[in-house]
Amino acid sequence: MKDTITRLNNNIEHLLNSDLTAINWTHKPSPEKWSKKEIIGHLIDSAQINLQRFVRCTYEENFKLTYEQVEWVEAERYQEADVNELLALWRLLNRQIIRVLENYPPDRLQAHCDNSKKEVTLCTVEFLAADYVYHLEHHLKQIYAN
């Protein structure tokens, strides 16, 4: 878990210490693709869902918690939001995830929840945390790309 927390923290710092003014946050490569602002919004949604999973797994097991990523990005109107507000929210949510994971009860790291939309797929907290950071890194690469 320490490696996962370190990677998450490093990714937060790397993005926020980048030249954010050089990023075209509003450009959509095509009508069905997200802008970089919407990608940050999607990462905010992902952080909110995963924070709930991590917290609930400290006392609950085998619950289901999913979200509809495309619908959420559209409903939350990230394209119209101020990018600095989005980045601040993204940073704060991830700092809270780090706080929760740094103090996670060791006996609950193997607790399970279901993050699938169709058939039951139980995942441990350790897997969900590592997968969360992998997912975040995937989307950050899209933001850094021209």
Side-chain angles (χ1 to χ4, degrees), residues 5-56:
I5 293 166
T6 299
R7 282 178 47 219
L8 180 54
N9 192 54
N10 289 344
N11 278 293
I12 296 167
E13 296 304 316
H14 184 263
L15 178 63
L16 298 180
N17 289 321
S18 297
D19 182 5
L20 299 174
T21 61
I23 297 171
N24 184 343
W25 291 99
T26 57
H27 172 72
K28 292 174 75 84
S30 68
E32 64 279 349
K33 297 279 187 183
W34 288 336
S35 69
K36 293 177 183 193
K37 202 188 280 191
E38 289 171 315
I39 292 170
I40 282 292
H42 168 64
L43 291 176
I44 288 168
D45 295 341
S46 176
Q48 291 181 79
I49 285 292
N50 280 286
L51 179 58
Q52 288 185 42
R53 288 175 180 150
F54 301 144
V55 169
R56 287 179 64 185

Side-chain angles (χ1 to χ4, degrees), residues 3-20 23 25 40 43-44 47 86-102 132-134 136-137 139-141 143-144:
D3 179 57
T4 298
I5 293 166
T6 299
R7 282 178 47 219
L8 180 54
N9 192 54
N10 289 344
N11 278 293
I12 296 167
E13 296 304 316
H14 184 263
L15 178 63
L16 298 180
N17 289 321
S18 297
D19 182 5
L20 299 174
I23 297 171
W25 291 99
I40 282 292
L43 291 176
I44 288 168
L86 295 178
L87 290 167
L89 178 56
W90 176 79
R91 182 185 70 80
L92 290 171
L93 284 166
N94 280 289
R95 292 299 310 148
Q96 183 62 21
I97 287 172
I98 289 171
R99 191 174 5 270
V100 167
L101 294 179
E102 284 177 333
Y132 172 73
V133 175
Y134 174 78
L136 181 136
E137 290 170 343
H139 286 298
L140 288 179
K141 287 176 186 171
I143 290 171
Y144 297 133

Side-chain angles (χ1 to χ4, degrees), residues 98-114:
I98 289 171
R99 191 174 5 270
V100 167
L101 294 179
E102 284 177 333
N103 297 289
Y104 216 81
D107 63 323
R108 297 300 298 167
L109 288 172
Q110 297 305 309
H112 293 89
C113 80
D114 181 4

